[in-house]
Amino acid sequence: MSDYKSFYDERRHQTYAHDYGVVRAEDHSNYNELKSFIDRFQLTNKRCLEIGSSGGFFQDMVQDYYGTDIAESLAKYYHKPYRVSQGAHYPFEDEMFDAVWTINVYEHIPQLMEALFEIKRLLKPGGVLLFSPAWQCRPWAADGYAVRPYSDFDIKGKLIKASIPIRNSVFWRSLYLFPKRLVRHLLFIMGYKYTALKYDKLNPNYDTYWTSDSDACNSIDPHDAILWFLSNGFECISHPEHTSALFVRTHGLIFKKSTRLL
């Protein structure tokens, strides 16, 4: 855990370096997605939490904003409430928020299940969630196979690097993804509840930041995320039909917490 915290806090200038004071929300790659979410659910004056809020890029997109992140060093960039998270625990009261959003964060959280249940704890009944991690992070990212030259690797490493274009292709990945999705979805339709999210654990690299998500410790399929939220008291607003859920692509998911107690 010390390496994890150091990577995102004391060593942030070496890893996720930004000049946070001058970056505009409009320049962020997820701005349009978040703006659409805020407008659709009329959140401008609602109490909102951003989990993994980094340098507070989005803090002025709503009036009643709260941010949380693991890095104490980020607090200086906020003029709205910011609290340092303790691992996967977010220091806020139960059912405090009308909306939660989290962007490119949950692939990096070692205690993934605890962090997911925190979302459920923090949202009011009827509250909405934009859940947008980096989906299906690749296991070869940690060692930088995609960006390092062949000369860096032994025979095994060269074979891994050479295989990446094939393993990254839509056709190859579909051979694995869709049979798995179909089985899990049929089980859900027949009444099976996914109390634990199905995902792949990765070995993150906290020593060298080779590329985006070389520090990811979770590889999550959006279909599995949909099944978990549906099994745990949420409605999927973005993919309400079985077919749309089964063929979900890598975009943010929108959920609504049930007003009924489970």
Side-chain angles (χ1 to χ4, degrees):
M1 183 60 69
S2 59
D3 289 342
Y4 168 71
K5 181 170 176 56
S6 172
F7 186 86
Y8 296 110
D9 198 346
E10 295 92 347
R11 295 172 52 219
R12 199 176 190 94
H13 64 286
Q14 302 170 354
T15 57
Y16 283 86
H18 290 285
D19 189 356
Y20 293 109
V22 300
V23 175
R24 302 186 312 154
E26 294 86 347
D27 296 329
H28 196 286
S29 59
N30 294 92
Y31 172 79
N32 290 332
E33 178 181 48
L34 179 57
K35 181 69 163 56
S36 175
F37 174 69
I38 291 170
D39 291 345
R40 179 177 180 179
F41 296 101
Q42 301 179 342
L43 301 175
T44 303
N45 296 307
K46 299 297 179 89
R47 179 168 290 177
C48 300
L49 171 67
E50 180 177 9
I51 296 175
S53 53
S54 187
F57 302 115
F58 303 130
Q59 60 186 307
D60 290 320
M61 292 185 67
V62 295
Q63 294 297 318
D64 197 0
Y65 171 97
Y66 289 74
T68 186
D69 205 293
I70 194 172
E72 298 175 12
S73 59
L74 294 172
K76 61 187 175 185
Y77 298 110
Y78 288 79
H79 53 268
K80 289 187 176 178
Y82 171 77
R83 298 181 187 176
V84 178
S85 61
Q86 304 299 320
H89 173 72
Y90 307 122
F92 302 99
E93 297 175 4
D94 293 358
E95 299 183 353
M96 181 173 172
F97 296 100
D98 299 292
V100 171
W101 68 75
T102 178
I103 297 171
N104 296 336
V105 173
Y106 270 62
E107 70 274 18
H108 301 296
I109 300 177
Q111 311 99 329
L112 178 59
M113 290 310 306
E114 291 90 335
L116 285 171
F117 280 112
E118 279 290 89
I119 293 175
K120 184 176 182 180
R121 179 181 71 81
L122 294 169
L123 266 179
K124 296 178 181 178
V128 290
L129 164 69
L130 172 61
F131 188 70
S132 188
W135 301 109
Q136 299 165 346
C137 294
R138 309 300 195 256
W140 54 80
D143 290 316
Y145 282 106
V147 297
R148 294 166 64 187
Y150 277 96
S151 57
D152 278 5
F153 303 109
D154 59 15
I155 294 298
K156 180 181 178 181
K158 287 179 169 64
L159 291 174
I160 292 173
K161 181 173 176 65
S163 72
I164 289 175
I166 299 172
R167 295 163 67 191
N168 237 355
S169 69
V170 173
F171 173 75
W172 181 269
R173 293 172 58 237
S174 296
L175 291 176
Y176 162 74
L177 271 181
F178 287 110
K180 176 203 72 170
R181 285 184 176 186
L182 182 60
V183 170
R184 291 179 181 174
H185 207 92
L186 288 173
L187 287 172
F188 175 77
I189 291 173
M190 291 187 292
Y192 183 81
K193 299 300 182 184
Y194 291 88
T195 55
L197 176 71
K198 302 289 187 181
Y199 69 102
D200 293 326
K201 289 291 292 181
L202 304 177
N203 293 315
N205 189 337
Y206 296 137
D207 296 319
T208 304
Y209 181 72
W210 290 112
T211 185
S212 176
D213 297 324
S214 59
D215 54 319
C217 54
N218 309 309
S219 182
I220 309 168
D221 182 356
H223 177 257
D224 286 319
I226 290 174
L227 294 183
W228 185 85
F229 279 103
L230 290 177
S231 298
N232 288 275
F234 288 81
E235 172 188 358
C236 188
I237 303 297
S238 57
H239 298 77
E241 305 296 332
H242 289 300
T243 52
S244 62
L246 190 60
F247 293 100
V248 60
R249 301 290 297 274
T250 53
H251 301 292
L253 305 176
I254 298 175
F255 299 98
K256 182 178 181 180
K257 183 178 174 181
S258 176
T259 56
R260 297 172 297 173
L261 294 177
L262 293 181

